[in-house]
Amino acid sequence: MKKFFSIMILCISIFTWAQQTELPFIGYRAFDIMKGYSGTGTPHYYLDLKNNGDVHFGYVQVNQASGEETTEEINVGKYAPNKVMKVVFKKYEETFFVKFDKEKIYLTDEKGNVKNLEGCCSSTESIKKETCTCESEFFK
């Protein structure tokens, strides 16, 4: 009986370890896809990838006039490589689709095609381009 429990614990440990190695990272990462709209009062978006594979998206927004802080965080499911995740923030009735890897996050359509929009250009890029790829590096 002891051998059986020992084998079960070993199998669960191996499975848990194997599941963790598939994740691109664990923890909190901030991002800024819509560079053209950043500024005072703009929400600061982040994702938090838990060690069990759960992906949480959230934002923090501070009203510059009143100093009031608005936050929201939601669980959008389990991580899978190239998986398109639907993020629905209820407070501001905002919905968008994203996918991410170890280094970057991408704003996509429902099928996973990365968007090219004017709002994704930084101020220096907008001088030369009309649209830019909607992607962002992660910030710790």
Side-chain angles (χ1 to χ4, degrees), residues 47-138:
L47 73 83
D48 189 5
L49 183 55
K50 307 294 185 181
N51 60 2
N52 67 357
D54 284 348
V55 181
H56 292 242
F57 277 89
Y59 67 86
V60 177
Q61 182 172 13
V62 178
N63 182 307
Q64 297 299 308
S66 68
E68 181 182 338
E69 186 177 282
T70 304
T71 63
E72 187 173 358
E73 183 171 297
I74 59 167
N75 182 341
V76 297
K78 296 281 187 190
Y79 172 80
N82 290 316
K83 179 180 179 182
V84 177
M85 305 192 122
K86 183 178 182 179
V87 180
V88 180
F89 289 122
K90 294 179 182 176
K91 287 183 183 176
Y92 290 119
E93 298 179 5
E94 181 179 33
T95 301
F96 53 89
F97 297 91
V98 295
K99 62 183 178 181
F100 66 94
D101 56 31
K102 184 175 185 169
E103 312 241 341
K104 291 184 178 183
I105 186 166
Y106 305 89
L107 183 65
T108 69
D109 60 18
E110 292 180 52
K111 296 179 181 178
N113 301 310
V114 178
K115 291 187 172 189
N116 285 290
L117 301 172
E118 180 182 347
C120 295
C121 297
S122 67
S123 56
T124 54
E125 288 175 318
S126 63
I127 295 170
K128 300 175 187 175
K129 302 177 182 178
E130 288 186 26
T131 64
C132 296
T133 303
C134 295
E135 64 182 34
S136 172
E137 293 182 354
F138 285 120

